[in-house]
Amino acid sequence: MTRPSERANDQLRSIEIIRNYTKHAEGSVLVKFGDTHVICTASIEEKVPGFLKGKNQGWVTAEYGMLPRSTGSRMDREAARGKQTGRTQEIQRLIGRSLRAVIDMQKLGERTIHFDCDVIQADGGTRTASITGAYVAMVDAVSTLLAKGLLTESPIKDSVGAISVGVYQGIPVLDLDYIEDSDCDTDMNVVMTGSGGFVEIQGTAEGEPFSRDAMNEMLDLAAKGIAELSKLQQQALAN
Amino acid sequence: MTRPSERANDQLRSIEIIRNYTKHAEGSVLVKFGDTHVICTASIEEKVPGFLKGKNQGWVTAEYGMLPRSTGSRMDREAARGKQTGRTQEIQRLIGRSLRAVIDMQKLGERTIHFDCDVIQADGGTRTASITGAYVAMVDAVSTLLAKGLLTESPIKDSVGAISVGVYQGIPVLDLDYIEDSDCDTDMNVVMTGSGGFVEIQGTAEGEPFSRDAMNEMLDLAAKGIAELSKLQQQALAN
Amino acid sequence: MTRPSERANDQLRSIEIIRNYTKHAEGSVLVKFGDTHVICTASIEEKVPGFLKGKNQGWVTAEYGMLPRSTGSRMDREAARGKQTGRTQEIQRLIGRSLRAVIDMQKLGERTIHFDCDVIQADGGTRTASITGAYVAMVDAVSTLLAKGLLTESPIKDSVGAISVGVYQGIPVLDLDYIEDSDCDTDMNVVMTGSGGFVEIQGTAEGEPFSRDAMNEMLDLAAKGIAELSKLQQQALAN
Amino acid sequence: MTRPSERANDQLRSIEIIRNYTKHAEGSVLVKFGDTHVICTASIEEKVPGFLKGKNQGWVTAEYGMLPRSTGSRMDREAARGKQTGRTQEIQRLIGRSLRAVIDMQKLGERTIHFDCDVIQADGGTRTASITGAYVAMVDAVSTLLAKGLLTESPIKDSVGAISVGVYQGIPVLDLDYIEDSDCDTDMNVVMTGSGGFVEIQGTAEGEPFSRDAMNEMLDLAAKGIAELSKLQQQALAN
Amino acid sequence: MTRPSERANDQLRSIEIIRNYTKHAEGSVLVKFGDTHVICTASIEEKVPGFLKGKNQGWVTAEYGMLPRSTGSRMDREAARGKQTGRTQEIQRLIGRSLRAVIDMQKLGERTIHFDCDVIQADGGTRTASITGAYVAMVDAVSTLLAKGLLTESPIKDSVGAISVGVYQGIPVLDLDYIEDSDCDTDMNVVMTGSGGFVEIQGTAEGEPFSRDAMNEMLDLAAKGIAELSKLQQQALAN
Amino acid sequence: MTRPSERANDQLRSIEIIRNYTKHAEGSVLVKFGDTHVICTASIEEKVPGFLKGKNQGWVTAEYGMLPRSTGSRMDREAARGKQTGRTQEIQRLIGRSLRAVIDMQKLGERTIHFDCDVIQADGGTRTASITGAYVAMVDAVSTLLAKGLLTESPIKDSVGAISVGVYQGIPVLDLDYIEDSDCDTDMNVVMTGSGGFVEIQGTAEGEPFSRDAMNEMLDLAAKGIAELSKLQQQALAN
């Protein structure tokens, strides 16, 4: 089998992580996983939601959206329809959980980090690109808190990144693009920390149920891919 | 460690699957996973959604709800708030995908099976009970189609069941109840066919990230639990 | 004329009132008027709505819903449609007024009793079954307040029950089931206290306008029926 | 007892029915029950709702609204809040049923009459004024159909009017104004045809439950009041 | 060219400003620009919106609506559809800005004036009639504050009025009615103070773009028209 | 007076118009007016809205949005709030009208061009940048229709651009940035064709009313600015 993109089965797309993409947000990243481009901003708000008031801890939450023509055919604008789809809500909940997994809420203090992940061009893997880019935006946003003396120590415990894996034409492959995603048997999104722990695994049999062996192969690919992403995150932050 | 319910680590709660629970639906099941009680109905509609018209295939879709006082403290009624939560949408999408995985849409013909899973009492594991009960309701609903001669062959390819597993106080355990679910490190919902293929895996690190070993232990427990559920489904259907 | 159910004109359906039907609510009743089955829960909340704050009185409010397949053909789920129908709102306002009529808000103190009446199987008369069952749930909920010493005296002044009456094929009959309800000339819902006072009367000419004589006959039937329901409520509470 | 308005117990407020109040609608009436002023328009649309297509019959439906400052303190605008209250829906359903009771849907033909009852000044009894005025607008709208030859015979079978009655300071009174309505023990809205049949009765005990005797006295008052309204409707239509 | 109404090109329609049209509002005006009739009420509320709390200033805000059959063919009721159209929001924002331009918020003190402009009959120019009538209602509402001693000095700095101008069949005309508005090349709404300053100009080319000369002619007409409206406002207030 | 940006009073910000910014849309432009950055896409759909079916003409419509953190402090996401603000609706209606003014709907044929203008970074003037960029996207989208032979002749009649002008500290200035916009006396948005006709003028007195002279000076500035924008549009399209 040859992948439509001619990548090797364990090969990521070309990844770019551009910091300070827009000027207002405390953290602002344009992340590219091939032709999938997502703007990830981290906004600091010096208060917490009602259910956390007075509990001496912070909060992290995420929202996700796609520009109507980020996709091959134009989608309805969610703001005009008056509600977010189930898919949107599922993705933004996943992004929020993934980032909360690597931050110490007590150390963050009584403030909220709002993430906004907006897809400006989509080609598969928008949720994994969002998590990977949002982590970098989080580091930048926390740096502004440290620089202002609002924090003396970073509350970030580890890095976090995400990648999709799947079974395409019978073969496990890494980082599915849209063509592969539309035609795969199994689709799995994996979120891992920089030190290799699992944060989330969401695997779905699109066609036939998948076996334990297939899952093990997919997880091996994911671990390899996220390790590479982790390095790219560190490089971007080092610039 | 002793589980709060004093169950063994690999022990399901007491499971009951009561067919023909209400009289109008083509399939109607009350499923109990311990103190979690869900009414699962399957309703046949002799048409398909717009996007499938004329494609010679059927559709399966699911909705999920909780009665406002199915829980320890009363929740807002979603119909009164005017929208379903992200959690509700996530669960009903999961139920729909799980059932679609075991039915042949071409053989179903141009009709829709609507599932409604309504939790009347909650004690953890409402989504896994819903999937397990809905499968039985689906078999009953398909039987009415066979009995009326609308189908000559069942479109159901396999059975499907679901269970939660998690790491509670450091130990992998099967079928978490509410107390365990509220205090576990990792929570994983697994959906498998009767013949042992994976349909969905959704694992989340609630506290610390989890290791590959922990995941393997959880999957072993899940496979054991779903095999037991599969037998209970067959027994219920044999009555 | 013979009624489709072969009941006498002044005969109720078989009535069942099952207490403690679910475990979380302070009062939880499954009420059956023949094939109409409704779960009625009473939930105590230790605060009042904004407009009553600081007024030294309590509040009682009700919500109503039908499971999508409680009926012969599946209805849309109100939570998915994003709003409650006018019929639903009309019924839940009626239930709330009926229960408020028999409770002393000053004696209740600054707390709210929320009723949820959820129809799991419908065969006509869901609103009258809801009121009749909710009263029993209210007594149980108040008992928990008395047991905890939060109240020293019951604020409940009287019992309350409800029944439908109508003119079916020219003859006044008691407690219409779905077949009768769909084909009657007049449909009247009557709510009365245990001591025989009227709380609500809602009569509608579905076909021809009705006469004062017909109304008097219907009210006689209703008074008889509610007196019987009142006994059944007391019996259920005595167990 | 003296009524706040010094009216006799069986005395209506000053009633005015002004036809052709606005110029676009097929029927347009400004109805005044004392200080309660409602614009009632009847609009003909040459089609029926989906559920009646091809059934050779017409439809009649009503909507109701209050201008935000029709009342003593400003209410929220329902269009701005994004939904109609339960009270609004209850009233517009009542108006629609009342008008449907006196029109032959087969004779109306495949068209819809939409009623809009908009309260520009409120002082109690807005729903009864609405029904009474809307009937007159309906006659005018039907006249335009007869004049154009779209109908050869009026589908209107009878006139319809409505009035409130109540028990105020222990005494049954006719046509409650706002002061009485806010402080009465029982409030009953009665809808009757010109020939004296009951179309709707909605009675509510606001304070103590009411007796059968009180109800009979209220119905006597209502019958007297609606007979007077019926004459005023005929007079308005004769001009 | 002759205008459909046979008015001169610089001639307003017949204008009427009727004060105290309804009894509850602090200011209540029925304004007529020919067959365009709008009820404008001003309601005083002794608090300000959250974003102004503690800032020692008042607020002025406006809402706008059309009765469903104020127009030639019935429009959907916005309250029933569950949202206001873009046109409605645009108009109510314009009305609010226009009134805020002539009132000193500090002198108004910590209170809000809510305007409601409800069109009961439409024939073009509803927004300009609304602004012109709302100004008069504002003066009356402020008079109640002065009369009660809640203010010692009027916060109103100037009067404000509005008129439409346009290019109809190639000729600039004043105060377009519906026939002209539906068929004009350019439509411009102008809001000016009594002393001749511009508050708002909103001009739109409906067909061909318009020239600077055409705009100058339209502004001359608008200035003349608003000067006349200003006199009519003063006359109405003098009565 | 010196402008905060040190620009001359009649000087535009640095303008950039980048075509083919994203890959899926038929026209896709990133337009920059200084620090205001907007993605404008034009999407062709081969059908028209219901009200135009069978009328042998096309349609052009626009939607507008701001990423939540395109601004100095994070705004609520409209999709999450469930509705678009009045401001958003006002702007998207303006964009749509402006583009419709320069396209021949008959020549466009029975198809729709949907514009999406999404602000990724805001610094004042987002609506004028949107219109200016959307025109370029429209030309590119029409080129795809010509290239495919779906059109043989361009339906575009003229170019269109927009700019803001205002009175800042007493002096008329061109192309206000956010600092100027927040503190100006008058704010006017002007839309003109390449050949110098006016399409829209929307001027608002934020503080004091403005004079006819001030308006004339602002219009001179606007005409100069739009002429420059027109050249930049042609240059971008020539590349």
Side-chain angles (χ1 to χ4, degrees):
Chain A
M1 183 208 69
T2 311
R3 299 176 73 174
S5 61
E6 309 200 342
R7 281 185 282 147
N9 296 342
D10 66 350
Q11 189 183 346
L12 294 174
R13 288 177 282 182
S14 160
I15 309 288
E16 263 189 276
I17 300 174
I18 300 163
R19 288 163 64 203
N20 303 317
Y21 185 65
T22 57
K23 74 171 188 178
H24 297 297
E26 285 71 29
S28 173
V29 165
L30 174 66
V31 62
K32 300 186 182 179
F33 276 28
D35 276 347
T36 289
H37 301 179
V38 186
I39 300 177
C40 304
T41 59
S43 299
I44 305 282
E45 188 187 25
E46 289 292 325
K47 66 177 190 186
V48 287
F51 70 94
L52 287 179
K53 246 168 222 163
K55 299 207 172 162
N56 272 319
Q57 69 157 96
W59 188 239
V60 163
T61 183
E63 289 182 357
Y64 168 93
M66 298 181 83
L67 296 198
R69 195 55 196 281
S70 58
T71 45
S73 57
R74 186 178 182 272
M75 300 181 308
D76 285 345
R77 182 177 290 267
E78 290 184 329
R81 290 175 64 238
K83 63 176 183 174
Q84 295 178 303
T85 62
R87 176 185 173 277
T88 291
Q89 292 192 59
E90 211 167 289
I91 292 174
Q92 64 193 11
R93 285 159 56 89
L94 172 66
I95 299 169
R97 285 197 307 270
S98 298
L99 294 161
R100 285 194 291 274
V102 294
I103 191 161
D104 181 318
M105 293 299 174
Q106 273 70 39
K107 288 196 186 156
L108 177 57
E110 288 220 356
R111 57 177 59 87
T112 299
I113 309 181
H114 293 274
F115 288 91
D116 289 287
C117 297
D118 285 278
V119 178
I120 62 176
Q121 188 175 280
D123 187 36
T126 63
R127 76 190 73 188
T128 54
S130 294
I131 292 166
T132 304
Y135 166 73
V136 176
M138 180 165 70
V139 174
D140 278 338
V142 163
S143 295
T144 67
L145 293 171
L146 292 164
K148 288 183 193 164
L150 289 166
L151 287 179
T152 53
E153 180 190 11
S154 172
I156 300 176
K157 301 182 290 186
D158 202 341
S159 71
V160 66
I163 202 68
S164 71
V165 284
V167 177
Y168 177 69
Q169 301 196 347
I171 310 289
V173 295
L174 179 66
D175 189 18
L176 287 73
D177 56 29
Y178 180 72
I179 293 179
E180 292 170 331
D181 194 25
S182 309
D183 193 31
C184 67
D185 296 316
T186 300
D187 177 17
M188 186 175 287
N189 291 291
V190 180
V191 184
M192 294 178 77
T193 58
S195 55
F198 288 99
V199 170
E200 285 269 345
I201 296 175
Q202 296 194 340
T204 299
E206 303 282 345
E208 288 304 293
F210 57 94
S211 67
R212 188 81 173 256
D213 284 349
M215 196 177 65
N216 281 327
E217 289 181 73
M218 288 188 280
L219 291 177
D220 290 341
L221 286 175
K224 175 177 178 297
I226 292 173
E228 289 174 35
L229 290 175
S230 178
K231 270 187 215 145
L232 293 166
Q233 290 172 322
Q234 301 318 319
Q235 283 169 14
L237 286 164
N239 291 339
Chain B
M1 184 209 69
T2 310
R3 299 177 72 175
S5 61
E6 309 199 342
R7 281 184 284 147
N9 295 344
D10 66 351
Q11 190 183 346
L12 294 173
R13 288 176 284 181
S14 161
I15 308 290
E16 261 189 278
I17 299 173
I18 300 164
R19 288 163 65 205
N20 303 317
Y21 185 65
T22 57
K23 73 171 187 177
H24 296 297
E26 284 73 28
S28 173
V29 164
L30 174 65
V31 60
K32 301 186 182 179
F33 276 29
D35 276 347
T36 290
H37 300 179
V38 186
I39 300 177
C40 305
T41 59
S43 300
I44 305 281
E45 187 188 23
E46 289 292 328
K47 66 176 190 189
V48 288
F51 70 94
L52 287 179
K53 247 168 223 164
K55 300 208 172 162
N56 273 318
Q57 70 158 96
W59 189 240
V60 163
T61 183
E63 289 183 356
Y64 168 92
M66 299 182 82
L67 297 198
R69 194 57 196 281
S70 57
T71 45
S73 58
R74 187 178 179 274
M75 301 181 307
D76 285 345
R77 181 177 292 264
E78 291 185 328
R81 291 175 64 239
K83 62 176 182 173
Q84 295 178 303
T85 63
R87 176 186 173 278
T88 290
Q89 292 192 57
E90 210 168 289
I91 292 174
Q92 63 194 11
R93 283 159 56 89
L94 172 66
I95 299 170
R97 284 197 307 270
S98 298
L99 293 161
R100 284 195 291 273
V102 295
I103 191 160
D104 181 318
M105 292 300 173
Q106 272 70 38
K107 287 197 185 156
L108 177 57
E110 287 220 356
R111 54 178 62 87
T112 299
I113 310 181
H114 292 273
F115 288 91
D116 289 286
C117 296
D118 284 278
V119 178
I120 61 176
Q121 189 176 279
D123 187 36
T126 63
R127 78 190 73 187
T128 54
S130 293
I131 292 165
T132 305
Y135 167 73
V136 176
M138 180 166 68
V139 174
D140 278 338
V142 164
S143 295
T144 67
L145 293 172
L146 292 164
K148 288 182 192 164
L150 289 166
L151 287 179
T152 53
E153 180 190 11
S154 172
I156 300 176
K157 301 182 288 185
D158 202 341
S159 70
V160 67
I163 202 69
S164 71
V165 284
V167 177
Y168 177 70
Q169 303 195 347
I171 309 290
V173 295
L174 179 67
D175 188 18
L176 287 73
D177 58 28
Y178 180 73
I179 294 179
E180 291 170 331
D181 193 26
S182 311
D183 193 32
C184 66
D185 296 316
T186 301
D187 177 17
M188 186 176 287
N189 289 291
V190 181
V191 184
M192 294 176 78
T193 59
S195 54
F198 288 99
V199 170
E200 286 268 345
I201 297 176
Q202 296 195 339
T204 299
E206 305 281 346
E208 288 304 295
F210 57 94
S211 67
R212 186 83 173 255
D213 284 349
M215 197 178 64
N216 281 326
E217 288 182 74
M218 287 188 281
L219 290 177
D220 290 341
L221 285 174
K224 174 177 179 296
I226 292 174
E228 289 174 35
L229 290 174
S230 177
K231 271 187 213 145
L232 293 165
Q233 289 172 321
Q234 301 318 319
Q235 282 170 16
L237 286 164
N239 291 338
Chain C
M1 186 208 67
T2 311
R3 300 177 72 175
S5 61
E6 308 200 342
R7 280 184 283 147
N9 295 341
D10 66 349
Q11 191 183 344
L12 294 173
R13 286 176 283 183
S14 161
I15 309 289
E16 262 190 279
I17 300 173
I18 300 163
R19 289 163 63 203
N20 303 318
Y21 184 65
T22 57
K23 75 171 187 176
H24 296 296
E26 284 73 29
S28 173
V29 164
L30 174 66
V31 60
K32 301 185 182 179
F33 277 30
D35 276 347
T36 290
H37 301 180
V38 186
I39 299 177
C40 306
T41 59
S43 300
I44 305 282
E45 187 187 24
E46 289 292 325
K47 67 177 189 186
V48 288
F51 70 93
L52 287 179
K53 247 170 221 163
K55 299 208 172 163
N56 273 318
Q57 69 158 96
W59 188 240
V60 163
T61 185
E63 290 183 355
Y64 168 93
M66 298 180 82
L67 296 197
R69 194 56 196 280
S70 57
T71 45
S73 58
R74 187 178 180 271
M75 300 181 309
D76 286 345
R77 183 177 290 266
E78 290 185 329
R81 290 175 65 237
K83 62 176 182 173
Q84 295 179 303
T85 62
R87 176 185 173 276
T88 291
Q89 291 192 58
E90 210 168 290
I91 292 175
Q92 63 193 12
R93 285 158 57 89
L94 171 66
I95 299 170
R97 285 196 307 270
S98 299
L99 294 161
R100 285 195 290 275
V102 295
I103 192 160
D104 181 319
M105 292 299 174
Q106 273 68 39
K107 288 197 184 155
L108 177 58
E110 287 220 356
R111 55 177 61 87
T112 299
I113 309 180
H114 293 274
F115 288 91
D116 289 288
C117 297
D118 284 277
V119 178
I120 60 177
Q121 187 175 281
D123 187 37
T126 62
R127 77 191 73 188
T128 54
S130 294
I131 292 165
T132 305
Y135 167 72
V136 176
M138 179 165 71
V139 174
D140 278 338
V142 163
S143 295
T144 67
L145 293 172
L146 291 164
K148 289 183 192 162
L150 289 167
L151 287 179
T152 53
E153 179 190 13
S154 172
I156 300 176
K157 301 182 290 184
D158 202 341
S159 70
V160 66
I163 202 69
S164 72
V165 284
V167 177
Y168 177 71
Q169 303 196 346
I171 309 289
V173 294
L174 180 66
D175 189 18
L176 286 73
D177 58 28
Y178 180 73
I179 293 179
E180 292 170 331
D181 195 24
S182 310
D183 193 33
C184 67
D185 297 316
T186 301
D187 177 18
M188 186 176 285
N189 290 289
V190 180
V191 184
M192 294 177 78
T193 59
S195 55
F198 289 99
V199 170
E200 285 268 346
I201 297 175
Q202 295 195 339
T204 299
E206 305 282 346
E208 288 304 294
F210 56 93
S211 68
R212 186 81 174 256
D213 284 350
M215 196 178 64
N216 281 327
E217 288 181 75
M218 287 188 281
L219 291 177
D220 291 341
L221 285 174
K224 175 177 178 295
I226 293 174
E228 289 174 35
L229 289 175
S230 178
K231 271 188 212 143
L232 293 165
Q233 290 172 322
Q234 301 318 319
Q235 283 170 14
L237 286 164
N239 291 339
Chain D
M1 183 210 68
T2 310
R3 299 177 72 173
S5 60
E6 307 200 343
R7 281 185 283 146
N9 296 342
D10 65 350
Q11 190 182 347
L12 294 173
R13 287 176 284 182
S14 161
I15 309 289
E16 261 188 279
I17 299 173
I18 299 164
R19 288 163 64 203
N20 303 317
Y21 185 64
T22 56
K23 74 170 187 176
H24 296 296
E26 284 72 30
S28 173
V29 165
L30 173 66
V31 61
K32 301 186 181 179
F33 277 29
D35 276 347
T36 290
H37 300 179
V38 186
I39 299 176
C40 305
T41 58
S43 299
I44 305 282
E45 187 188 24
E46 289 292 326
K47 66 176 189 186
V48 288
F51 70 94
L52 287 179
K53 247 167 222 163
K55 300 208 173 163
N56 273 318
Q57 70 157 97
W59 188 238
V60 163
T61 182
E63 290 182 356
Y64 167 94
M66 299 181 82
L67 297 197
R69 195 55 197 281
S70 58
T71 46
S73 57
R74 186 178 180 274
M75 301 181 307
D76 285 345
R77 182 177 292 264
E78 290 184 329
R81 292 174 62 238
K83 63 176 182 172
Q84 295 179 302
T85 63
R87 176 186 173 277
T88 290
Q89 291 193 57
E90 210 168 290
I91 291 175
Q92 64 194 12
R93 284 159 56 90
L94 171 66
I95 299 170
R97 284 197 307 270
S98 298
L99 294 161
R100 284 194 291 274
V102 295
I103 192 161
D104 181 317
M105 293 300 174
Q106 273 70 37
K107 287 195 185 158
L108 177 56
E110 286 219 357
R111 55 178 59 87
T112 299
I113 310 180
H114 292 273
F115 288 91
D116 288 287
C117 297
D118 285 278
V119 178
I120 61 176
Q121 187 175 280
D123 186 36
T126 62
R127 77 191 72 187
T128 54
S130 293
I131 292 166
T132 304
Y135 167 73
V136 176
M138 179 164 70
V139 174
D140 278 338
V142 164
S143 295
T144 68
L145 293 172
L146 291 164
K148 288 183 193 165
L150 289 166
L151 287 179
T152 53
E153 181 191 10
S154 172
I156 301 176
K157 301 182 290 185
D158 202 341
S159 71
V160 66
I163 201 69
S164 72
V165 285
V167 176
Y168 177 71
Q169 302 196 346
I171 309 291
V173 294
L174 179 67
D175 188 19
L176 287 73
D177 57 27
Y178 180 73
I179 294 179
E180 291 169 332
D181 194 26
S182 310
D183 192 34
C184 68
D185 296 315
T186 300
D187 177 18
M188 185 175 287
N189 290 291
V190 181
V191 184
M192 294 177 78
T193 59
S195 56
F198 287 99
V199 170
E200 285 269 345
I201 297 175
Q202 296 195 339
T204 300
E206 304 281 344
E208 289 304 292
F210 57 93
S211 67
R212 186 83 173 255
D213 284 351
M215 197 178 64
N216 281 326
E217 288 182 75
M218 287 188 280
L219 290 178
D220 290 341
L221 286 174
K224 175 177 178 298
I226 292 173
E228 289 174 35
L229 290 175
S230 177
K231 271 187 212 145
L232 293 165
Q233 289 172 322
Q234 301 319 319
Q235 283 170 14
L237 286 164
N239 291 338
Chain E
M1 184 209 69
T2 311
R3 301 178 71 174
S5 60
E6 309 199 342
R7 280 185 282 147
N9 294 341
D10 66 350
Q11 190 182 346
L12 294 173
R13 287 177 283 182
S14 162
I15 309 289
E16 262 189 278
I17 300 174
I18 300 164
R19 289 163 63 204
N20 303 316
Y21 185 65
T22 57
K23 74 172 188 176
H24 296 297
E26 284 73 28
S28 172
V29 164
L30 174 66
V31 61
K32 300 186 182 178
F33 276 29
D35 276 347
T36 290
H37 300 179
V38 186
I39 300 176
C40 305
T41 59
S43 300
I44 305 282
E45 188 188 23
E46 290 292 326
K47 67 177 190 187
V48 288
F51 69 94
L52 287 178
K53 246 168 222 163
K55 300 207 171 164
N56 273 319
Q57 70 158 97
W59 188 238
V60 164
T61 183
E63 289 182 356
Y64 169 92
M66 297 181 84
L67 296 198
R69 194 56 196 283
S70 58
T71 46
S73 58
R74 186 178 181 273
M75 301 181 308
D76 285 346
R77 183 177 290 266
E78 291 185 328
R81 290 175 64 239
K83 64 176 180 173
Q84 295 178 303
T85 62
R87 177 186 173 276
T88 291
Q89 291 192 59
E90 210 167 291
I91 292 175
Q92 63 194 11
R93 284 158 57 89
L94 172 67
I95 299 170
R97 285 197 307 271
S98 297
L99 294 160
R100 285 194 291 274
V102 294
I103 191 160
D104 181 319
M105 294 298 174
Q106 273 69 38
K107 287 196 185 156
L108 177 57
E110 287 219 357
R111 55 177 61 86
T112 300
I113 310 181
H114 293 272
F115 288 91
D116 289 288
C117 297
D118 285 277
V119 178
I120 62 177
Q121 188 175 281
D123 187 37
T126 63
R127 78 191 72 187
T128 54
S130 293
I131 292 166
T132 304
Y135 167 73
V136 176
M138 180 165 69
V139 174
D140 278 338
V142 164
S143 295
T144 68
L145 293 172
L146 292 164
K148 287 183 194 164
L150 289 167
L151 287 178
T152 54
E153 181 190 10
S154 173
I156 300 176
K157 301 182 289 185
D158 202 341
S159 71
V160 67
I163 202 68
S164 71
V165 284
V167 176
Y168 177 70
Q169 302 196 347
I171 308 291
V173 295
L174 179 66
D175 189 18
L176 287 73
D177 57 28
Y178 180 73
I179 293 178
E180 290 170 331
D181 194 25
S182 310
D183 193 32
C184 66
D185 297 315
T186 301
D187 177 18
M188 185 177 286
N189 290 290
V190 180
V191 184
M192 294 177 79
T193 59
S195 55
F198 288 99
V199 170
E200 286 268 344
I201 296 176
Q202 296 195 339
T204 299
E206 304 281 346
E208 288 304 293
F210 57 94
S211 67
R212 187 81 172 256
D213 284 350
M215 197 178 64
N216 281 326
E217 288 181 74
M218 287 188 280
L219 290 177
D220 290 342
L221 285 174
K224 175 178 179 294
I226 292 173
E228 288 174 36
L229 290 174
S230 178
K231 271 187 211 143
L232 294 165
Q233 289 172 322
Q234 302 317 320
Q235 283 170 14
L237 287 163
N239 291 338
Chain F
M1 183 209 70
T2 311
R3 299 177 73 173
S5 61
E6 309 201 340
R7 279 184 284 147
N9 295 342
D10 65 351
Q11 190 183 347
L12 294 174
R13 289 177 283 183
S14 161
I15 309 289
E16 261 190 279
I17 299 174
I18 300 163
R19 287 163 64 205
N20 303 317
Y21 185 66
T22 57
K23 74 170 188 177
H24 296 296
E26 284 72 29
S28 173
V29 165
L30 174 66
V31 61
K32 302 187 181 178
F33 276 29
D35 276 347
T36 290
H37 301 179
V38 185
I39 299 176
C40 305
T41 59
S43 300
I44 305 281
E45 186 187 24
E46 290 291 328
K47 67 177 190 186
V48 287
F51 70 94
L52 286 179
K53 246 169 223 164
K55 299 205 173 166
N56 272 319
Q57 70 158 95
W59 188 239
V60 163
T61 184
E63 289 183 356
Y64 167 93
M66 298 182 82
L67 297 197
R69 194 56 196 283
S70 57
T71 46
S73 58
R74 186 178 180 274
M75 301 180 308
D76 285 345
R77 182 178 290 266
E78 290 184 330
R81 291 174 64 239
K83 62 176 181 173
Q84 295 178 303
T85 62
R87 177 186 173 277
T88 291
Q89 292 192 57
E90 210 167 292
I91 292 174
Q92 64 194 12
R93 285 158 56 89
L94 172 66
I95 299 170
R97 284 196 308 271
S98 298
L99 294 161
R100 284 194 291 274
V102 294
I103 191 160
D104 181 318
M105 293 300 174
Q106 272 70 37
K107 288 196 186 156
L108 177 57
E110 288 220 356
R111 55 178 59 87
T112 299
I113 310 181
H114 293 273
F115 288 91
D116 289 286
C117 297
D118 285 277
V119 178
I120 63 177
Q121 188 175 280
D123 187 36
T126 62
R127 78 190 73 186
T128 54
S130 294
I131 292 166
T132 304
Y135 167 72
V136 176
M138 180 165 68
V139 174
D140 279 337
V142 164
S143 294
T144 67
L145 293 172
L146 291 165
K148 287 184 195 163
L150 289 166
L151 287 179
T152 53
E153 183 190 9
S154 172
I156 300 177
K157 300 182 290 184
D158 201 342
S159 71
V160 67
I163 202 68
S164 72
V165 284
V167 177
Y168 177 70
Q169 302 196 348
I171 309 290
V173 294
L174 178 68
D175 189 18
L176 287 72
D177 57 26
Y178 180 73
I179 293 179
E180 291 170 330
D181 193 27
S182 309
D183 192 32
C184 66
D185 297 316
T186 300
D187 177 18
M188 186 176 286
N189 290 291
V190 180
V191 183
M192 293 176 80
T193 59
S195 55
F198 288 99
V199 171
E200 286 268 344
I201 297 176
Q202 296 194 340
T204 299
E206 304 281 345
E208 288 304 294
F210 57 94
S211 67
R212 185 84 172 254
D213 284 349
M215 197 179 65
N216 281 325
E217 289 182 73
M218 287 189 281
L219 290 177
D220 290 342
L221 285 173
K224 175 178 179 297
I226 292 173
E228 289 174 35
L229 290 174
S230 178
K231 271 187 214 145
L232 294 165
Q233 289 172 323
Q234 301 318 318
Q235 283 169 16
L237 285 164
N239 292 337

